[in-house]
Amino acid sequence: QVQLVESGGGLVKPGGSLRLSCAASGFSFSDYYMSWIRQAPGKGLEWVSYISGSGYTIYYADSVKGRFTISRDNAKDSLYLQMNGLRAEDTAVYYCARRYAGLVGVDYWGQGTLVTVSS
Amino acid sequence: QSVVTQPPSASGTPGQRVTISCSGSSANIGSNYVYWYQQLPGTAPKLLIYRDNQRPSGVPDRFSGSKSGTSASLAISGLRSDDEADYYCAIWDDSLSGPVFGGGTKLTVV
């Protein structure tokens, strides 16, 4: 069965860095676009970034462009999000998710990992 | 402030039919497919509707999607207490060249 397991969240000071990982299993990872989607506490969903199966096509939301880097290692069935220059407004649960249809339809989500940016 | 607008709340009684709207523009709903997600409390979102009105396998036919012009709707018939959740529309926006979510609608089953 399809599983997505995020890790790497935690408490970090403003300006700090964090690297999130998402371990995928149960499907042919390299065949799928993957996304990072976040949700601030008590708030709605925000698309952060996505990457094509080959890694050639990448999207970033304006709110994270220049600070976050998405990448993948198809040999390890893993998705990553390198987050630099973290701000308080980046505090959120970060989900990795697998594309299902179009670029907006995702079918499988991880359980999420909480990133807290605070001094 | 999202480029697509949803009412913050909706409510209904068990067995009733409720609709949740998603209003946008020619840059998003007017030219691209609409997707709907359900997020139960404390859980990750779940895809309910894709490409305006298609249901993934396993989603009951009580859930249906429609679109007209620059607005879309999610309808839930035979409302149940376990439908109480947050519902989000999602769409590609041509102006932003990226995917966006609506602000979400909290559905209460009273």
Side-chain angles (χ1 to χ4, degrees), chain A residues 39 44 47 50 101 104-106 109, chain B residues 35 37 39 45 47 88 90 92 101:
Chain A
Q39 186 169 35
W47 220 293
Y50 66 70
V104 186
V106 294
W109 300 63
Chain B
Y35 298 72
Y37 292 89
Q39 187 176 30
L47 181 64
Y88 295 89
W92 181 269
F101 286 99

Side-chain angles (χ1 to χ4, degrees), chain B residues 3-5 22-31 34 67-72:
Chain B
V3 295
V4 289
T5 303
C22 179
S23 178
S25 70
S26 57
N28 42 66
I29 295 177
S31 54
V34 179
K67 186 173 82 173
S68 178
T70 59
S71 291

Side-chain angles (χ1 to χ4, degrees), chain A residues 37-39 43-47 50 59-60 62 65 95 99-112, chain B residues 33 35 37 39 42-47 50-51 55-57 86 88 90-92 96-103:
Chain A
I37 296 165
R38 69 183 179 184
Q39 186 169 35
K43 301 297 185 183
L45 300 167
E46 180 186 14
W47 220 293
Y50 66 70
Y59 162 85
Y60 296 104
D62 285 344
K65 204 172 292 183
Y95 296 100
R99 175 191 178 187
Y100 174 77
L103 287 170
V104 186
V106 294
D107 56 355
Y108 284 93
W109 300 63
Q111 83 288 352
Chain B
Y33 288 122
Y35 298 72
Y37 292 89
Q39 187 176 30
T43 69
K46 170 188 173 182
L47 181 64
Y50 68 100
R51 291 177 183 163
R55 282 186 307 277
S57 174
D86 293 323
Y88 295 89
I91 186 89
W92 181 269
L96 298 175
S97 295
V100 293
F101 286 99

